[in-house]
C-alpha cells in the first residue's frame, strides 16, 4: 500500500493566520475600541458577511466592484462578501429606519474582503473598526468624532499623535471665489496627490485637468500649503474664502469644532486644521479628518472619517446624513509593535502552575483555582513532567510567573512563586499565594 | 424623468442582522467567554474565513460538504467559506506544529457558514466559540474542560446547569464484553436516538442494524439508562464492563475526572456521568460531554465537546491528540433571554446628557467628559432639542440615567441626575456629578 497522501496545510494567497502573539494585542486593541465607543453611547451591531450582490455593487467604486468576492449561492442567488462596513450600515439603516429611531449611533468591528492585488502588500481579508452617528447634522457630532479618536488613541497607549481636520466646504468656498466650482472633483483629485507628487506636478495637473490658470493654481496651492497652529491656519484661510457663504460658514464650523474639543478637556496640541485633507471625493460633504502618529508619520492615517449628507440613497428615499470614522487596525498594531507598546507573549495567562508530582493533581488544581479566583490567570501544565522542561515552556510562552510546589511543599502548605523575567523567587503559604502573585505581577 | 429606483434593502435568506439590543448581550457573552478561556491560559487565534476547498472538503461529513459555500476566486482557485473552527484548527496546528510547541491551547471565536436548510430554523451564518488543548492525553485536560465550562456558565449568570460526562471507552468496553466491538458505529447511532425515539424503537434498530440479540440489546439499554449521582452511575457501570481492560480504564478515568473537578472546588452537584452521551461518531475517542440548563433542558446542550486522538491526520503525519469543547452561543443567548438574564437596552452607555441650551455646548461637553472619566458611559444628545423629546429618546434606548442642566443650573454650577426607571432625581454640583452618577447606577 502507498503512504497516505496529506493535503498540504496552507492559507490562500493574500490571507493570513493570526497566531496568539499577534492575536493577543489585536484583541486588546479591539476591546479598547469597544470600551471607548461604548462610553460615548455607540452601540454594537453586526450584519452578514454575505449580502445580495446588488446591495454591494454600484455603491463602491469600480475598483471595489472588481475586487468583490462574488458567486451564486445554493439557491442560485447572486451574492458577494462585503468589502466594507459602510454599505452594510447604509442597507441596515434604510431597512430598519423606523424601528431604530434617530439619532442612531453604532459601532461595527468585523472582517471585510477584497480581492486586491497582493503585490501592494495588502491583505484580501482585514478587519474594519467603524463608528458612525446617523441622522444628525449638528456640530456636536463633529466634535465628538474628534474626541472619540483622541480618547481611543490615548487609551491604546499613544501620547504623540495629530488629528488633522478639514472641512470640505472650505475648499468649495475657495473654488467659488476662484470661479472653479464645476471643477471640484478634478481639483480635489490633484490636491490629494500633493504629499506624494509635490507642488510642481500638482500645478501641472491642475492646469491640464481642471483648466486652472497660473494664478488660480497658485491660490489653490497656497491654500493647501497653509500650516501652523489651528488658529493660525484658520486666520490664513479666512481671507481666501471671504465672500463665499459656504466657505465662511465652514471656517466658522471648524472654529466651533476646536472650541468644543477644548471645552471637553482634550489637548488642542493634538488637533490641527489641515486644508490639504480631502478624503472620499464624492462621499464626504462636511468635516473630514485623518490622524497621524507623530513618531511614525510614514505609516499614514490611523483613524479617518468625515461627515456625509446621504448615507443610504441607493436603498431609501429618506435622507440619512451622518458622520463617522474608521480605525486603521492593522496600521495601529504595526505602530504599536514598532513603538514597543505590545509584548510578544503567546499566552494571556499570568502564571504557569508547574505540575510535577503526579499524585498531587488535586492539590495543583486547587492551587490554580485559587489564583484564578483572585483574578490571576493561571494555566496548569497538563501533564506531570520535569520542572526544567516546564520552566522552558513558561519562558517560551511568555508567562510572567511560575508557581512551583512538590510533595514537601504541599505537606508544609507552601509554594514557591518565581518571577520569570528576574529569577526572583518567594516562598509563601498556599493561602497567601494568590495575594503574593498579585503583588508580583 | 422617472423616479430613482431604489434597491430593496434586505438580507439573504438564512442570514440575519444583529441590532444593538441583540448585539449588546452577545458581546457581553463573548467577552465573558474570552475572560474565562484566558484565565486558564487558552490563547486567541484567528484564521481566514476563506480556505482552499481541498482543506475543507473530506474532513467534515457528506452533509457539511453539501452545505459548503464554494466558488472560484479571482485567481481561479477553488475556495470555500469555513463551516466550523475545528478544520481551521487542524490545518493551523499541522502548518505551524514546529513553532507552536505543545501543549498548544487556543480559543477561537468567529463566524462560520453552512448553506443549511433554513426550514429547520437554522441560520446559514453563526458564531462558534471553541477552546481546545492540543498535544496532550493526560487526565488534567479532561478535568480542565469540565472546569472551564463550569466557570463560564457561572460567570455568565447561570446557577442551575448539569455537565453530563461520559467516556467513549466505557461503551466500547461494554461492546467488548458483549462481543459487539465491530458494530460500535451502528450501536452508537442507535443509542444516540434514545431521547428522541424511546427504548422500543432503539431496541428494534439495534437488532436490525447491529444484529444485537434481545439480551445484548437489553444490556445496552440497561447501560444507557443508568442514572443517579456520579458515584452511583460509576458503581452501576463497573460490573457491565468488568473484564474489558479498556472499559475498566475508562471507568477509572471518569472517577479521576470527578475527583479532580471536586478538588478544584467546583460543585459536583453540577456534574453527572451519563452513559447515553456519544457525540461525534467517528471523531471523539475519550471523554465526551454535554451541558444542559436545568430550567431549560429542551433547548439541548449549551456546551459540548470531547477528547480526540488525531486532530490533523488529513494534513500531517504527526499525531496530534487533543481535547476541546464549543459553547452554543445562540442557545445560551436564547436561554439568557428566556430566564431574564439580559436586559433589552439598545445602548451600552449608562447616562444620556440632555442638550437643550444651544449656546452651552462647551459646558455639556465638559460634563459628559467628566462622567466618562469616572467610568460612567455618557452619550451627549447631538442636537439642542426640547428636554421632553430627549427623555423619550432616553427611555426608548434604555439609558438608566438622564443628566439635565440648563443655563440657570450651569450658572449655579449644578445639574440634575434623574433615574429613569424610578423617576427619582437628585440635584448635585457639577463636580460631584460623576460620583453621584456612580452611586445611582
Amino acid at each position: 500500500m502507498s503512504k497516505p497522501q496529506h493535503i498540504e496545510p496552507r492559507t490562500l494567497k493574500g490571507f493570513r493566520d493570526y497566531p496568539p502573539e499577534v492575536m493577543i494585542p489585536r484583541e486588546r486593541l479591539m476591546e479598547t475600541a469597544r470600551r471607548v465607543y461604548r462610553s460615548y453611547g455607540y452601540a454594537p451591531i453586526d450584519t452578514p458577511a454575505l449580502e445580495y450582490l446588488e446591495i454591494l455593487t454600484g455603491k463602491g467604486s469600480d475598483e471595489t466592484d472588481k475586487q468583490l468576492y462574488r458567486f451564486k449561492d445554493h439557491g442560485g442567488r447572486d451574492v458577494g462578501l462585503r468589502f466594507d462596513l459602510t454599505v452594510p450600515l447604509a442597507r441596515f439603516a434604510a431597512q430598519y429606519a423606523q424601528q431604530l429611531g434617530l439619532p442612531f449611533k453604532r459601532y461595527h468591528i468585523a472582517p471585510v474582503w477584497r480581492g486586491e492585488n497582493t503585490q501592494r502588500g495588502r491583505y484580501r481579508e482585514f478587519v474594519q473598526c467603524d463608528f458612525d452617528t446617523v441622522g444628525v447634522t449638528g456640530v456636536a457630532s463633529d466634535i465628538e468624532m474628534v474626541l472619540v479618536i483622541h480618547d481611543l488613541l490615548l487609551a491604546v497607549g499613544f501620547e504623540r499623535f495629530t488629528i488633522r481636520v478639514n472641512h470640505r466646504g472650505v475648499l468649495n468656498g475657495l473654488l467659488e471665489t476662484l470661479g472653479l466650482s464645476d471643477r471640484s472633483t478634478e481639483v480635489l483629485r490633484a490636491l490629494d496627490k500633493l504629499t506624494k507628487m509635490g507642488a510642481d506636478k500638482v500645478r501641472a495637473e491642475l492646469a491640464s485637468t481642471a483648466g486652472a490658470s497660473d494664478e488660480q493654481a497658485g491660490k489653490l496651492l497656497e491654500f493647501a500649503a497653509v500650516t501652523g497652529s489651528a488658529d493660525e491656519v484658520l486666520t490664513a484661510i479666512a481671507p481666501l474664502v471671504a465672500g463665499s457663504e459656504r466657505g465662511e460658514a465652514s471656517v466658522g464650523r471648524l472654529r466651533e469644532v476646536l472650541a468644543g474639543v477644548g471645552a471637553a478637556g482634550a489637548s488642542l496640541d493634538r488637533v490641527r486644521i489641515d486644508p490639504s485633507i480631502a478624503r472620499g471625493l464624492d462621499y464626504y460633504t462636511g468635516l473630514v479628518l485623518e490622524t497621524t502618529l507623530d513618531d511614525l508619520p510614514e505609516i499614514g492615517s490611523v483613524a479617518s472619517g468625515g461627515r456625509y449628507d446621504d448615507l443610504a440613497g441607493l436603498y431609501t428615499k429618506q435622507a440619512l446624513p451622518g458622520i463617522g470614522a474608521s480605525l486603521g487596525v492593522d496600521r495601529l498594531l504595526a505602530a504599536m509593535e514598532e513603538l514597543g507598546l505590545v509584548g510578544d507573549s503567546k499566552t494571556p495567562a499570568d502564571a504557569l502552575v508547574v505540575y510535577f508530582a503526579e499524585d498531587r493533581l488535586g492539590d495543583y488544581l486547587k492551587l490554580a483555582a485559587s489564583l484564578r479566583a483572585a483574578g490571576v490567570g493561571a494555566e496548569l501544565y497538563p501533564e506531570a513532567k520535569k520542572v526544567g522542561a516546564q520552566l522552558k515552556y513558561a519562558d517560551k510562552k511568555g508567562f510572567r510567573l511560575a508557581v512551583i510546589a512538590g510533595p514537601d511543599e504541599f505537606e508544609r502548605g507552601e509554594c514557591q512563586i518565581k518571577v520569570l523575567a528576574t529569577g526572583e523567587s518567594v516562598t509563601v503559604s498556599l493561602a497567601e499565594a494568590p495575594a503574593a502573585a498579585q503583588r508580583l505581577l
Side-chain angles (χ1 to χ4, degrees), chain A:
Chain A
M1 270 177 63
S2 66
K3 279 210 263 176
Q5 285 274 320
H6 288 121
I7 298 164
E8 187 199 345
R10 66 206 196 283
T11 49
L12 285 159
K13 194 179 164 196
F15 288 78
R16 58 180 160 169
D17 290 313
Y18 297 97
E21 65 274 22
V22 175
M23 198 62 192
I24 288 171
R26 280 184 84 81
E27 280 201 340
R28 197 175 305 137
L29 175 62
M30 292 187 237
E31 275 164 23
T32 303
R34 277 194 287 267
R35 197 176 69 238
V36 173
Y37 291 163
R38 288 175 188 166
S39 78
Y40 280 84
Y42 294 87
I45 69 163
D46 203 2
T47 64
L50 285 173
E51 297 264 5
Y52 278 103
L53 193 61
E54 66 165 7
I55 298 281
L56 299 176
T57 53
K59 181 65 189 175
S61 60
D62 287 353
E63 202 183 351
T64 53
D65 275 6
K66 239 183 284 165
Q67 295 169 348
L68 261 179
Y69 282 98
R70 65 175 83 191
F71 57 98
K72 278 194 193 298
D73 75 359
H74 300 86
R77 301 172 198 89
D78 285 309
V79 302
L81 285 165
R82 66 180 167 218
F83 62 89
D84 74 3
L85 301 179
T86 302
V87 170
L89 171 62
R91 197 262 306 147
F92 184 95
Q95 191 167 342
Y96 310 107
Q98 300 312 314
Q99 299 103 288
L100 289 174
L102 298 178
F104 173 61
K105 297 172 74 165
R106 80 89 176 83
Y107 66 88
H108 193 178
I109 304 176
V112 303
W113 295 269
R114 295 182 191 177
E116 296 229 36
N117 188 340
T118 57
Q119 282 163 349
R120 286 195 259 164
R122 302 245 180 110
Y123 287 98
R124 291 174 171 164
E125 175 182 62
F126 55 98
V127 166
Q128 289 201 332
C129 183
D130 288 13
F131 67 99
D132 285 82
T133 302
V134 177
V136 293
T137 56
V139 72
S141 305
D142 289 4
I143 295 164
E144 185 167 285
M145 177 166 61
V146 178
L147 291 176
V148 169
I149 291 170
H150 177 270
D151 286 9
L152 184 38
L153 289 180
L154 278 184
V156 170
F158 292 103
E159 296 280 343
R160 292 168 39 75
F161 57 86
T162 304
I163 303 175
R164 294 167 195 284
V165 178
N166 191 17
H167 192 294
R168 291 292 300 270
V170 173
L171 179 62
N172 285 328
L174 174 60
L175 293 175
E176 271 178 41
T177 66
L178 295 179
L180 285 172
S181 289
D182 57 342
R183 299 296 167 85
S184 65
T185 304
E186 291 80 4
V187 170
L188 276 166
R189 200 164 278 151
L191 289 182
D192 220 18
K193 298 173 186 164
L194 195 53
T195 349
K196 270 189 220 149
M197 307 195 336
D200 287 346
K201 286 197 176 160
V202 169
R203 186 188 303 269
E205 183 170 329
L206 283 169
S208 65
T209 68
S213 69
D214 259 15
E215 195 195 331
Q216 289 170 324
K219 287 258 187 201
L220 287 166
L221 284 167
E222 178 191 339
F223 167 80
V226 168
T227 56
S229 72
D231 261 345
E232 287 164 1
V233 171
L234 287 175
T235 306
I237 286 174
L240 287 170
V241 300
S244 155
E245 198 179 321
R246 189 162 179 207
E248 290 174 12
S250 302
V251 168
R253 183 83 167 218
L254 285 172
R255 281 198 202 283
E256 290 180 82
V257 170
L258 287 174
V261 169
S267 162
L268 284 178
D269 293 346
R270 299 196 176 103
V271 182
R272 289 267 179 288
I273 307 287
D274 184 341
S276 73
I277 290 173
R279 294 208 69 77
L281 294 176
D282 307 314
Y283 185 64
Y284 292 120
T285 51
L287 199 78
V288 284
L289 64 73
E290 295 184 350
T291 312
T292 46
L293 301 172
D294 299 352
D295 298 316
L296 291 170
E298 68 275 14
I299 67 167
S301 179
V302 295
S304 313
R307 176 173 283 289
Y308 42 86
D309 276 344
D310 185 13
L311 173 67
L314 274 184
Y315 317 112
T316 177
K317 61 177 194 285
Q318 187 181 0
L320 291 171
I323 183 166
S326 193
L327 207 64
V329 172
D330 291 317
R331 287 181 180 180
L332 273 176
L333 282 162
M336 288 163 72
E337 195 169 333
E338 184 106 6
L339 298 177
L341 293 174
V342 294
D344 58 356
S345 174
K346 295 175 170 66
T347 175
D350 306 302
L352 181 73
V353 176
V354 172
Y355 170 24
F356 72 98
E358 186 152 18
D359 59 346
R360 289 291 191 156
L361 179 55
D363 292 306
Y364 290 115
L365 286 161
K366 194 176 163 186
L367 176 54
S370 74
L371 292 166
R372 276 177 219 121
V376 177
E379 173 171 329
L380 174 61
Y381 196 85
E383 291 177 317
K385 255 197 181 172
K386 284 189 180 150
V387 176
Q390 292 183 55
L391 290 179
K392 238 182 234 167
Y393 172 84
D395 259 342
K396 190 180 163 191
K397 291 279 177 180
F399 286 95
R400 294 169 65 195
L401 304 177
V403 182
I404 306 167
D408 296 347
E409 285 85 357
F410 281 126
E411 285 308 319
R412 290 196 300 270
E414 282 178 353
C415 69
Q416 187 193 342
I417 305 182
K418 196 179 164 102
V419 181
L420 290 163
T422 63
E424 178 197 353
S425 168
V426 297
T427 298
V428 294
S429 77
L430 292 171
E432 288 165 347
Q438 284 172 329
R439 267 198 315 276
L440 292 168
L441 282 171

